[in-house]
Amino acid sequence: MTPAARWTGPAALLVLWQGLALAGGGWLLAGPSEVAGWLWSNPGLTTRAVAVTLANATCGFVLGNGAAIGLAVIAALWPRAQNLVAGLALVVFCLPLIATGPILRVLMGPGEGPQIVLAALAVYYTTLIPMLAGLRAIPSAWLDLVQSYGRGRWAELVHVRARASLPYLLAGLQISAPAAILGAMVGEFTGAERGLGVLTIRFTRDLDIPALWSMGVVAAGLSIAVYAAIGWAGRRVLPGTPPVILAPPRLIRGSPARRLADTALLAAAALTLWWAGIELLGLNPFFVKRPPDVAAAFFGSPDTRAALLDAAAKTLALAVPGYLAGLALGAGLAVLLSLRPGLAGLMVPLAVALRSIPIVTTAPLVVMLLGRGAAGTVTLVALMVFFPTFVACQQGLRQAPGPILDLFRSHASGPGRQMLHVRIPAMLPALFASARMSVPAAILAATVAEWLATGRGLGNLMALSASVSDYTMLWLAMVAVTLISAMIYGGIAWAERRVLLVMAPEQVRP
Amino acid sequence: MDRPGPPAPIECTGLSRLFDGSILAVDGIDITFAAGRTTALLGPSGCGKSTLLRLIAGLEEPTAGQVRIAGEPPAALCRQGGLSIAFQDPCLLPWLTVAKNVALGRKLARQAPDPQGVDQIINLVGLGGFQNARPASLSGGMRQRAAIARALITRPRVLLLDEPFGALDALTRRQLAQDLPPLWQDQAATTLLVTHSVDEAVMLAHRIVILSPRPARVVADIAVPLPQPRNPESPAFRRIVGEILAQLARGGEMAQSLAAQ
Ligand SMILES: Nc1ncnc2c1ncn2[C@@H]1O[C@H](COP(=O)(O)OP(=O)(O)OP(=O)(O)O)[C@@H](O)[C@H]1O
Ligand SMILES: [Mg+2]
């Protein structure tokens, strides 16, 4: 791309935005000029908030990614632990930030603690999963080489796996950088004293449209900046060589009985960690509920159960269509751009901008623009799912094996046929990986919209329970959201195996 | 240069390997390879030669029988760093330069770094000047030579070479076949060389073992009593080549009649 072409996309977006703002006459939509004006007259306020949010996000980024790398290394050294590590990590990742936020707040007090923990929680999974894949995505001959010198898993890790996983790690870190800012801002929503999230809450309450859009722009700019910075650093670390993904991550297979045993072990481990953690840390039983408390609330009180199930149904009714739309848009756009690369200049910046604006600032705006009905929430969920899917699918399409493409070209098969027979099968594993990873994100987007704007569903239930100190209900909702996310995730993993067995069998066999 | 020890004899008894419960790749092979000798393994494609090497390297567990190297299981020798295998695929790490890929052999064998030795061996296999090149910028044959250098750098007690010249042109093959014997003799490792070229086998080996089509069994065991350096045009050389070609053809017939029974 020429420098000129690179800037036409963002410039066109800017003009479009200003045009819309002028057409709207200042109603709910502040244009670039108003945002610039607001920022110009409030420089100190903005800079201080940015500094606080960025500091918390950085701490969370380091902690979360450090934990992810550590867990991935453990799984690489003890392959038997891999399913358990990935499973527990998934459970923690499925915890709804909206419920964990207030609980962390009452446990940790008014400082920066919850923001940092939430930022860490928001990033670690998107790093752990590519790392796990990267540590395994190597030709078995390399492992034979290490074994032929009588060396074990540690030498494999040091000499082969670590370096082979580096491109995956960098890809994960890049995706997690904006997520850290999102996590820190959600933490700030739960009653922090300083930061972008605090300002956003204030301006939403005051309906101060220019200020609210300015927060959105600053948060988006910050997210784009950290995304670009990690991307740049990544290219410095791996000069010249684009991150080659040598082989698709292998799925761990097993008989149905083995998978059932794994699931049971995972459930037992999660419950044990939950219960033992509370006892060991001596947490206040008023704020922190144990497994039996939650079970008693669900099975003992029909009213509570009805309220919970009703809220869950409302949330899923909007989250599922938005999720599917986001997946379809992401994959569709990636395919379109690969067939018509000229459009990339316009679409890629738009995609990055849409994704980077932290959901917490977009939620009120999108819902204000599209109304409190279904459209707003569905759009928000779709936006949240769209970008990671788009990036993953673009990468997947590039994975199409060169020799096979050459074979198609030699038979004068056009781009359409190549797409259908070679590129799309090569993209499917990436699409499914993204579909799995996006489940908790979709639930987060739906519950955030419900909490901040529409006042219904699980998001509202959690916010309401937190504000009236009904911690039993809050824990119940948290467990429900986690279970729902984990079950959808499992369902997609199941579908993934089915589809890949037919469409891309070489990707499933070990 | 340090080396892990003297060449070690290899003893296979009743060695079998069954894949997926039905594909018998190696079938009850009894054979010993004397210490310090070079043996070429010849056999049709897919007959189980690579599997036999992998069994000897301990990379594959036998379904029956056993491998003993200097009286111990292969793993013991591997742990000493006394065994090197060059795979059919060069198997270089793409992020390391040629020199570092070769040095990796010493690292994995827990030997002290030896930059001069690395340089020397790279020159020997004809890659001088490419020390700092990465595998992606080498031709297939150059990659194979780098892999051979990595196998030789540890001065192993057992050297397993699986079609090391597979991707080379006829001229380079012949050149290497002439250059390598002194190197091997200098190393004096117990060497097993899988190849599809009868000329190459006669050129390099003390002994030639011919395997039947899958499942691999020994059909002929031929000594090559020629002194090094050998002249591929000499009558004695041609006579041995002819004998081997006849044996290979007979091996095929034998398998057919076995299958017919
Ligand atoms: N991991 C495996 N799983 C199943 N079957 C295998 C495996 N490895 C080898 N085989 C089978 O064992 C037989 C022998 O394979 P092997 O690679 O040893 O042949 P080879 O003699 O080295 O052939 P070539 O000369 O083509 O390299 C083949 O039929 C192959 O399909
Ligand atoms: Mg072979």
Side-chain angles (χ1 to χ4, degrees), chain A residues 158-177:
Chain A
V158 171
H159 293 291
V160 178
R161 291 186 195 267
R163 177 58 180 73
S165 72
L166 198 55
Y168 292 78
L169 173 63
L170 291 172
L173 290 182
Q174 193 176 14
I175 289 186
S176 72

Side-chain angles (χ1 to χ4, degrees), chain B residues 100-111:
Chain B
K100 292 215 171 108
N101 261 299
V102 173
L104 180 68
R106 287 186 72 84
K107 251 192 211 160
L108 287 175
R110 302 175 202 266
Q111 297 176 351

Side-chain angles (χ1 to χ4, degrees), chain A residues 370-398:
Chain A
L370 296 174
R372 287 175 184 269
T377 311
V378 170
T379 309
L380 208 59
V381 174
L383 283 180
M384 191 77 174
V385 174
F386 161 75
F387 182 71
T389 307
F390 170 66
V391 171
C393 287
Q394 266 199 319
Q395 250 192 353
L397 286 171
R398 273 187 241 121

Side-chain angles (χ1 to χ4, degrees), chain A residues 100-379:
Chain A
T100 32
I103 293 173
L104 286 171
R105 179 62 66 199
V106 293
L107 292 177
M108 300 176 86
E112 313 290 341
Q115 290 91 300
I116 294 174
V117 173
L118 286 190
L121 284 177
V123 303
Y124 85 98
Y125 197 69
T126 44
T127 303
L128 174 67
I129 292 306
M131 266 297 271
L132 284 177
L135 287 169
R136 280 185 293 151
I138 44 179
S140 61
W142 294 0
L143 302 181
D144 286 343
L145 179 75
V146 176
Q147 203 194 328
S148 74
Y149 290 98
R151 304 292 298 273
R153 295 218 140 241
W154 181 251
E156 269 176 16
L157 184 68
V158 171
H159 293 291
V160 178
R161 291 186 195 267
R163 177 58 180 73
S165 72
L166 198 55
Y168 292 78
L169 173 63
L170 291 172
L173 290 182
Q174 193 176 14
I175 289 186
S176 72
I181 291 177
L182 170 65
M185 285 185 69
V186 173
E188 288 165 357
F189 274 33
T190 61
E193 283 149 358
R194 303 170 301 160
L196 284 174
V198 177
L199 291 184
T200 303
I201 286 268
R202 205 166 88 199
F203 298 141
T204 309
R205 217 178 289 130
D206 303 348
L207 264 181
D208 184 342
I209 300 300
L212 202 50
W213 276 87
S214 303
M215 286 305 103
V217 167
V218 168
L222 207 57
S223 300
I224 294 177
V226 292
Y227 183 81
I230 305 261
W232 175 83
R235 284 188 295 277
R236 291 292 299 262
V237 175
L238 291 178
T241 49
V244 272
I245 295 176
L246 294 148
R250 284 181 201 158
L251 304 176
I252 295 193
R253 289 191 315 165
S255 60
R258 166 88 202 277
R259 280 205 292 275
L260 204 66
D262 273 356
T263 312
L265 180 68
L266 174 61
L271 286 176
T272 312
L273 275 182
W274 172 9
W275 203 339
I278 294 172
E279 301 298 341
L280 288 178
L281 297 173
L283 298 178
N284 185 336
F286 179 70
F287 301 128
V288 184
K289 301 298 174 192
R290 292 159 177 74
D293 307 335
V294 171
F298 184 79
F299 293 108
S301 147
D303 287 349
T304 309
R305 187 162 65 224
L308 180 75
L309 293 179
D310 177 57
K314 288 209 172 89
T315 301
L316 285 178
L318 299 184
V320 172
Y323 169 77
L324 294 177
L327 287 182
L329 279 175
L333 187 64
V335 169
L336 183 71
L337 288 190
S338 135
L339 288 172
R340 297 264 176 285
L343 292 175
L346 184 66
M347 300 308 272
V348 173
L350 179 62
V352 175
L354 279 178
R355 158 63 177 154
S356 308
I357 304 170
I359 173 118
V360 282
T361 40
T362 21
L365 291 170
V366 168
V367 176
M368 277 179 205
L369 284 174
L370 296 174
R372 287 175 184 269
T377 311
V378 170
T379 309

Side-chain angles (χ1 to χ4, degrees), chain A residues 37-122:
Chain A
W38 191 91
L39 290 175
W40 180 255
S41 43
N42 297 283
L45 189 63
T46 315
T47 336
R48 278 196 303 276
V50 166
V52 170
T53 302
L54 200 57
N56 290 336
T58 309
C59 288
F61 181 84
V62 171
L63 277 178
N65 287 314
I69 294 171
L71 284 174
V73 164
I74 289 177
L77 290 176
W78 291 284
R80 274 163 210 273
Q82 171 150 333
N83 283 355
L84 191 60
V85 166
L88 281 176
L90 174 69
V91 171
V92 176
F93 183 56
C94 288
L95 293 175
L97 297 185
I98 298 178
T100 32
I103 293 173
L104 286 171
R105 179 62 66 199
V106 293
L107 292 177
M108 300 176 86
E112 313 290 341
Q115 290 91 300
I116 294 174
V117 173
L118 286 190
L121 284 177

Side-chain angles (χ1 to χ4, degrees), chain B residues 49-50 88 162-163 194:
Chain B
K49 303 180 294 297
S50 299
Q88 218 164 334
D162 196 351
E163 296 184 44
V194 170

Side-chain angles (χ1 to χ4, degrees), chain B residues 19-20 23 25 44-51 88 163 196 214:
Chain B
F19 283 115
D20 305 330
I23 303 169
S45 179
C47 78
K49 303 180 294 297
S50 299
T51 307
Q88 218 164 334
E163 296 184 44
H196 283 297
R214 192 173 67 78

